[in-house]
Amino acid sequence: MTQDAGPDVADAGKAAEVTYATIRRQILSGERASGEWLREGDLAAAIGVSRTPVREALRRLAAEGLVRHEPNRGVQVEDWGVGDLDEIFSLRSQLEPWGCGLAAATGLADLDALGALADRMDEEARRRPPDLDAITELNNEFHRAVLEASGNGRLVGLVSSVVEVPLVWRTFSHYSPEAMRRSLAHHHEIVQALAARDAEWAESVMRSHVRAAWASLREEHQGAVQPRIGPPGRL
């Protein structure tokens, strides 16, 4: 007979998840800067766990591309430049508009839920100062819901792996007030296009939305490094 896992196993699993979530959140929020070295002992002491869950968390984060192992040196937070963002947004400008068009065609989108997310982003943006973390979380939820409505499960996972890079995750911190208003308006238009079951409209709005986001980031990082590939939209 198979016995349930004992408390030690359960505690170890919980420690591993907490450690992974903590370090991941620190990287995405910018608390752990690009290029920073992550020492197992320091992380374990800061989080209050042993080195074992830290080691497991770093392994998972490396698989996601958020950190990298340097032989004989340790683990370092991945360093992203303009070239990396070119690649990311080139992928997004192909995948997300396509997924949005699929969502319009399937009719699976929860329009009420999407509309509520768009409204909540508007509310957060009206705060002084705006709660950018809240807007980011709501935005990620909105985009994921649109892709889930495409009916293509692999597409959801693929886009998620692409966009969860710190510089992209914090896109709203680079927005001017005008860019913020434009982005929020796009969300409402996407809902309208989905409601109309108009795949071409939905795809067009999402493409404009993604390209506008890249324009804001690119302007912020202009001249940092030369891009490795052409303008957004090319693969």
Side-chain angles (χ1 to χ4, degrees):
M1 175 182 290
T2 301
Q3 296 183 344
D4 292 338
D8 291 343
V9 174
D11 290 345
K14 182 178 179 180
E17 283 301 318
V18 169
T19 302
Y20 163 75
T22 299
I23 301 173
R24 189 173 188 276
R25 183 177 64 250
Q26 290 173 346
I27 293 173
L28 290 175
S29 68
E31 185 178 342
R32 299 283 179 182
S34 296
E36 180 179 341
W37 290 100
L38 302 178
R39 308 299 181 189
E40 288 184 6
D42 294 341
L43 290 170
I47 299 172
V49 296
S50 69
R51 291 193 179 205
T52 299
V54 171
R55 195 172 299 120
E56 172 62 17
L58 294 178
R59 185 192 65 76
R60 291 175 63 181
L61 292 167
E64 293 178 6
L66 293 178
V67 303
R68 66 174 180 270
H69 288 272
E70 293 289 342
N72 303 317
R73 299 188 67 186
V75 178
Q76 190 175 31
V77 177
E78 188 61 80
D79 189 13
W80 294 273
V82 174
D84 298 289
L85 294 177
D86 269 329
E87 293 180 353
I88 289 167
F89 276 90
S90 290
L91 286 167
R92 286 190 66 190
S93 65
Q94 296 291 327
L95 297 174
E96 288 202 67
W98 178 59
C100 194
L102 289 177
T106 65
L108 296 175
D110 185 335
L111 300 176
D112 290 339
L114 288 172
L117 288 170
D119 289 341
R120 288 172 62 192
M121 280 184 269
D122 292 344
E123 293 170 6
E124 296 295 344
R126 285 194 290 267
R127 296 180 184 273
R128 291 293 177 267
D131 189 338
L132 298 181
D133 286 341
I135 296 173
T136 295
E137 294 289 354
L138 292 167
N139 178 71
N140 290 345
E141 188 176 346
F142 181 95
H143 280 257
R144 184 176 183 86
V146 170
L147 291 176
E148 287 176 345
S150 73
N152 189 320
R154 288 183 174 83
L155 179 63
V156 178
L158 181 58
V159 174
S160 294
S161 68
V162 169
V163 302
E164 290 193 334
V165 167
L167 289 177
V168 178
W169 198 79
R170 298 195 305 275
T171 297
F172 288 107
S173 66
H174 303 281
Y175 274 9
S176 66
E178 179 183 359
M180 175 71 80
R181 287 192 294 270
R182 181 177 58 234
S183 178
L184 297 178
H186 281 158
H187 293 138
H188 291 284
E189 188 173 358
I190 287 169
V191 175
Q192 293 170 355
L194 293 174
R197 302 286 296 271
D198 190 323
E200 290 187 12
W201 182 14
E203 186 170 342
S204 176
V205 179
M206 182 62 82
R207 180 170 289 107
S208 296
H209 185 62
V210 171
R211 290 174 68 93
W214 172 222
S216 295
L217 275 175
R218 189 179 181 83
E219 183 177 352
E220 180 80 10
H221 295 86
Q222 194 71 43
V225 296
Q226 290 299 313
R228 293 199 291 259
I229 60 176
R234 295 182 185 173
L235 286 175

